[in-house]
Amino acid sequence: MSDTIRIGLVSVSDRASSGVYEDKGLPALEEWLGRALASPFETHKRLIPDERHAIEAALKELVDEQGCSLVLTTGGTGPAVRDVTPDATLAVADREMPGFGEQMRQISLNFVPTAILSRQVAVVRGKALIINLPGQPKSIQETLEGLRAADGTQKVHGIFAAVPYCLDLIGAPYLETHDAVCKAFRPKSAVRPKAG
């Protein structure tokens, strides 16, 4: 039996939310999930300005009212005054999961030295995992998938490899991935037989 997992996608951008330019974060997230997830899922999308109260309200609504087990945000994670996504995320958290932010910065440092300026966090709220991702589509893919060597072997693990097991541990639906895109890691005792 396979549960459809609800996934919240939140793009935080003053200019995209006011129509100055087209949002690229939500399409990038949806496209990646479409390639990576083997389990059925539905998305709930929000495009909002860099306003802390609006971000907090969106995260609470997606988890508490829409029943999302996973919420991915994009944008608003730098040191600028208007970058308040991590602050809003921590404000709605039951507990912080610091390893996600550490690994995202580690991956991005392979490309740009300014990765250390990112304040991305991940938290648990109830039975949901909320992760702040970078704003650029290419960076989103790199952080989720990790880095591969020229021969295709995994050089640096992306953060999404740990997401399904984290969801298991907090009581969210069982999530399976397509190994070619992102091989999820679970201890052998936590792996369920494939539905056939």
Side-chain angles (χ1 to χ4, degrees):
M1 184 184 102
S2 189
D3 297 321
T4 296
I5 186 167
R6 292 172 174 228
I7 301 176
L9 304 177
V10 181
S11 184
V12 180
S13 168
D14 283 334
R15 288 176 292 174
S17 65
S18 63
V20 174
Y21 61 68
E22 189 183 352
D23 172 63
K24 291 188 166 50
L26 294 175
L29 287 170
E30 208 157 33
E31 187 273 334
W32 190 86
L33 291 168
R35 288 190 298 112
L37 299 188
S39 299
F41 70 96
E42 62 182 55
T43 58
H44 297 261
K45 296 177 278 195
R46 305 288 182 269
L47 175 57
I48 55 178
D50 288 278
E51 299 283 355
R52 182 168 163 170
H53 67 90
I55 301 166
E56 287 182 30
L59 296 176
K60 287 179 186 172
E61 185 247 337
L62 287 166
V63 173
D64 303 349
E65 295 170 38
Q66 300 300 328
C68 292
S69 302
L70 176 63
V71 178
L72 304 175
T73 75
T74 175
T77 59
V81 175
R82 296 287 293 167
D83 290 334
V84 292
T85 303
D87 312 276
T89 304
L90 291 168
V92 303
D94 291 330
R95 51 174 55 171
E96 191 176 354
M97 301 293 291
F100 284 99
E102 291 163 9
Q103 183 64 0
M104 284 189 271
R105 284 181 280 279
Q106 193 59 49
I107 292 166
S108 297
L109 274 168
N110 285 276
F111 302 100
V112 288
T114 51
I116 56 172
L117 302 180
S118 168
R119 300 188 305 119
Q120 291 150 296
V121 298
V123 304
V124 171
R125 177 181 175 87
K127 292 184 177 184
L129 176 63
I130 304 171
I131 305 173
N132 299 156
L133 294 169
Q136 297 303 318
K138 184 173 180 290
S139 304
I140 290 171
Q141 180 176 334
E142 288 161 356
T143 27
L144 292 171
E145 272 181 49
L147 310 174
R148 294 181 191 274
D151 64 0
T153 55
Q154 197 83 38
K155 206 164 83 172
V156 179
H157 286 287
I159 61 153
F160 208 87
V163 167
Y165 187 50
C166 182
L167 293 176
D168 294 350
L169 294 172
I170 62 175
Y174 191 82
L175 187 64
E176 292 184 279
T177 59
H178 292 295
D179 289 358
V181 179
C182 175
K183 185 170 172 51
F185 176 82
R186 283 182 170 96
K188 282 195 176 77
S189 60
V191 176
R192 292 186 194 169
K194 295 229 185 263

